[in-house]
Amino acid sequence: MIKVTIWNEYEHERKIPAIYEVYPEGIHGALKNGFKTESDLIVRCATLDEPEQGLPEEILADTDVLIWWSHARQEDVTDETVERVIRHIHSGMGFIALHSAHYSKIFRRLMGTPCTLSWRHGDSEKLFCANPAHPIAQGVPACIDIPEEELYGEPFSIPNPDDVVFLGWFAGGAVFRSGCTFTRGYGKIFYFQPGHEEAPVYEHPDIRRILINAVRWAAPTTRLPAPPDNVAL
Ligand code: ZN
């Protein structure tokens, strides 16, 4: 079994009626519904206003893959939470950063670069599979139409990924490395761009398939202590 924790800042869906309409159960609720069909996944949700920002040590120690959606409250994530999550990623916990979590403290720390990009609301996207042999692309069509999505454009200031699995093309005139993998410590990381809060992108069956694949790919085969400090021999 793979233990998945969906961590959501849970801000827009509570405060903005139009976004509540899109995701009445929260973005975390919609993501969780997308995993219902998979009997090998044990899924729980956590949100930022819960004790220890939803991620106390016991939860992280019991999580194989952490999924994070954030936008409005990036700066509210405390340094203690960042340290705790990064230590678990370094020891092998998988990490999936969704959409505007590209600019979260955790993702920027993991990348070591600004993670900036260009953006514009109110566009549409064609998501192309750039690496059909990759485990995250199994059962995914060559191109997925996302009728409403926020434009994200290059340059995306990340280090060169291990793999670019998906490329986004936006009608407004931009392209983007929309699905990228990285390794940090023993942890596998997937950044996935679709999922702006104003449209129900996480209910799209092909997007759900990608996230199911990503969870299975990112799950650790073995959980180890984080890499040790320098050791004198
Ligand atoms: Zn957005």
Side-chain angles (χ1 to χ4, degrees):
M1 303 297 276
I2 299 172
K3 293 177 180 175
V4 181
T5 301
I6 300 167
W7 189 36
N8 180 16
E9 67 170 24
Y10 198 24
E11 181 75 3
H12 300 307
E13 310 97 299
R14 287 188 301 161
K15 305 268 174 78
I16 304 172
I19 294 171
Y20 172 81
E21 294 288 315
V22 176
Y23 287 123
E25 297 176 73
I27 287 172
H28 53 290
L31 288 165
K32 187 175 183 188
N33 288 339
F35 295 120
K36 267 186 183 162
T37 49
E38 309 305 304
S39 57
D40 61 329
L41 307 184
I42 300 171
V43 183
R44 83 180 119 211
C45 296
T47 58
L48 204 52
D49 285 337
E50 293 170 7
E52 298 192 60
Q53 303 205 300
L55 295 182
E57 179 64 29
E58 317 81 83
I59 298 283
L60 287 168
D62 195 42
T63 296
D64 294 312
V65 180
L66 179 68
I67 300 174
W68 175 220
W69 194 100
S70 62
H71 178 227
R73 298 186 60 190
Q74 314 278 31
E75 294 309 310
D76 292 350
V77 177
T78 65
D79 292 344
E80 291 73 21
T81 300
V82 172
E83 291 302 327
R84 210 158 54 239
V85 170
I86 293 219
R87 177 165 45 79
H88 280 276
I89 293 169
H90 285 169
S91 74
M93 182 180 74
F95 182 62
I96 299 174
L98 295 175
H99 188 58
S100 32
H102 76 90
Y103 213 51
S104 61
K105 286 184 180 178
I106 292 166
F107 189 71
R108 285 189 290 156
R109 256 285 293 284
L110 290 166
M111 297 297 107
T113 55
C115 299
T116 49
L117 45 77
S118 57
W119 60 277
R120 186 169 59 238
H121 283 168
D123 213 296
S124 64
E125 178 176 9
K126 286 184 185 293
L127 185 72
F128 288 89
C129 180
N131 190 343
H134 196 282
I136 300 178
Q138 298 314 296
V140 175
C143 178
I144 300 169
D145 273 305
I146 307 176
E148 273 183 73
E149 184 53 274
E150 180 179 19
L151 176 156
Y152 273 17
E154 298 283 346
F156 183 20
S157 65
I158 50 172
N160 282 337
D162 294 343
D163 275 303
V164 177
V165 188
F166 300 100
L167 288 169
W169 175 91
F170 294 85
V175 293
F176 193 68
R177 288 169 288 173
S178 291
C180 301
T181 69
F182 307 87
T183 311
R184 293 291 183 272
Y186 306 128
K188 292 185 196 168
I189 297 162
F190 181 53
Y191 171 74
F192 191 53
Q193 160 267 318
H196 182 63
E197 67 276 6
E198 292 175 302
V201 176
Y202 295 129
E203 290 173 8
H204 192 302
D206 294 324
I207 299 297
R208 287 183 159 178
R209 169 51 52 195
I210 290 169
L211 293 175
I212 291 164
N213 290 346
V215 161
R216 293 213 178 97
W217 169 83
T221 43
T222 316
R223 192 73 170 262
L224 298 163
D229 292 336
N230 291 330
V231 179
L233 295 175

